[in-house]
């Protein structure tokens, strides 16, 4: 039997302008270290583009089962986003300096954590990237600062599952006994997988913040991270692959 590799489009992610759909340059995308290993394990090829990136799967059309490196369970591919055009946010919103957190987290999952239907393209929570997509990237062990000068004062941090906020994975006490106006609390989540979580507290009216745990990204000066998840064979995608969009609204 011969061995001939045929590459087909698995998924793409493209930065576009809201309304017009015009592709936008200004960003670069690279697989995280873990993602690079997954791409290799599943015989996938990453290709950067001026306005996004594409991932291709490999097949041997002469084999009984042509697909190489088949995906059989929910698998997450993570890509770091870096800003190349420093003037981008003078033309497009949101202004990162006004957001509740300095990074973005974008994915192809529904609020339940299930993979979006194949025809759904937006990686943002809404129609375009906005405050709801803001996040803060941390290593798996980090310090959270708490303002103790204004009430209500929390007594502990609650780290929750982002797709099931009723589940708390860790509780960490805040040391507020010193009388200082600011507390710095060490949070160790090294026993948990990297990725997105909610950082909340037990203070009345507390607003949960999206955090993303990755030990490498914190030192790379990234703007954010894109997660693309899939849970079945790569050749189960529609013809032409899955086509996702990172949409930004013009100011």
């Amino acid at each position: 039997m011969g061995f001939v590799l045929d590459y087909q489009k698995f998924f793409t992610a493209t930065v576009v302008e809201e309304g017009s759909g015009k592709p936008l340059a200004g960003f670069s995308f690279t697989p995280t270290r873990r993602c690079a290993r997954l791409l290799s394990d599943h015989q996938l090829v990453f290709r950067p583009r001026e306005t996004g990136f594409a991932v291709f799967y490999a097949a041997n059309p002469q084999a009984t089962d042509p697909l190489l490196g088949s995906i059989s369970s929910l698998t997450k591919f993570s890509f770091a986003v870096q800003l190349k055009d420093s003037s981008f946010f003078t033309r497009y919103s949101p202004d990162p300096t006004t957001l509740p957190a300095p990074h973005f987290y974008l994915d192809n999952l529904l609020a339940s954590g299930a993979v979006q239907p194949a025809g759904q393209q937006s990686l943002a929570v809404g129609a375009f990237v906005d405050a709801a997509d803001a996040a803060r990237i941390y290593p798996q062990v980090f310090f959270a600062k708490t303002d103790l000068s204004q009430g209500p004062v929390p007594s502990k941090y609650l780290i929750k599952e982002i797709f099931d906020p009723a589940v708390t994975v860790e509780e960490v006490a805040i040391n507020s006994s010193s009388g200082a106006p600011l507390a710095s609390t060490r949070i160790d989540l090294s026993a948990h997988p990297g990725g997105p979580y909610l950082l909340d507290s037990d203070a009345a009216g507390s607003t949960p913040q999206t955090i993303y745990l990755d030990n490498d990204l914190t030192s790379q000066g990234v703007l954010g991270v894109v997660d693309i998840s899939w849970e079945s064979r790569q050749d189960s995608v529609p013809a032409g692959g899955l086509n996702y969009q990172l949409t930004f609204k013009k100011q």
Side-chain angles (χ1 to χ4, degrees):
M1 179 184 296
F3 191 80
V4 178
L5 284 182
D6 178 31
Y7 288 94
Q8 300 290 330
K9 192 182 294 181
F10 183 19
F11 60 82
T12 64
T14 306
V15 183
V16 300
E17 181 180 273
E18 190 264 339
S20 71
K22 179 178 73 173
L24 301 174
F27 299 89
S28 65
F29 300 83
T30 53
T32 64
R33 184 185 303 183
R34 178 180 177 277
C35 179
R37 292 196 298 267
L38 285 172
L39 293 172
S40 176
D41 290 345
H42 293 286
Q43 303 290 315
L44 301 173
V45 176
F46 170 85
R47 288 289 181 264
R49 293 177 169 176
E50 185 180 8
T51 58
F53 64 92
V55 172
F56 299 84
Y57 66 86
N60 176 7
Q62 299 182 12
T64 303
D65 182 355
L67 182 63
L68 303 180
S70 178
I71 294 172
S72 58
S73 60
L74 187 64
T75 303
K76 180 177 68 180
F77 302 95
S78 302
F79 304 88
V81 186
Q82 291 183 302
L83 183 64
K84 295 192 301 180
D85 179 2
S86 60
S87 67
F88 183 87
F89 287 109
T90 64
R91 305 186 305 278
Y92 293 91
S93 62
D95 178 354
T97 64
T98 66
L99 296 177
H103 306 113
F104 293 114
Y105 166 63
L106 305 167
D107 64 27
N108 68 330
L109 299 177
L110 303 174
S112 65
V115 177
Q116 291 176 353
Q120 192 167 331
Q121 293 184 311
S122 177
L123 295 176
V125 172
F128 49 84
V129 177
D130 209 343
D133 304 294
R136 188 178 296 272
I137 298 173
Y138 282 120
Q140 288 178 289
V141 180
F142 63 94
F143 286 87
K145 298 188 181 301
T146 311
D147 183 359
L148 303 176
S149 64
Q150 299 182 13
V153 175
S155 64
K156 59 184 175 182
Y157 279 113
L158 308 172
I159 297 86
K160 302 177 178 180
E161 292 282 1
I162 192 168
F163 299 113
D164 189 358
V167 176
T168 298
V169 300
E170 287 285 347
E171 295 186 4
V172 183
I174 297 172
N175 181 13
S176 57
S177 59
S178 65
L182 191 69
S184 183
T185 303
R186 183 178 185 269
I187 299 178
D188 185 347
L189 299 176
S190 56
H192 302 280
Y197 294 87
L198 292 176
L199 178 64
D200 201 357
S201 78
D202 63 345
S206 174
T207 301
Q209 180 187 95
T210 300
I211 61 172
Y212 194 95
L213 305 180
D214 188 288
N215 292 334
D216 295 327
L217 294 183
T218 52
S219 62
Q220 294 178 9
V222 301
L223 179 67
V225 60
V226 170
D227 279 353
I228 304 293
S229 298
W230 197 247
E231 57 188 343
S232 59
R233 294 170 58 97
Q234 297 90 298
D235 55 7
S236 66
V237 301
L242 300 160
N243 296 291
Y244 297 111
Q245 293 182 347
L246 294 76
T247 305
F248 289 89
K249 185 177 182 180
K250 194 168 186 178
Q251 293 185 5

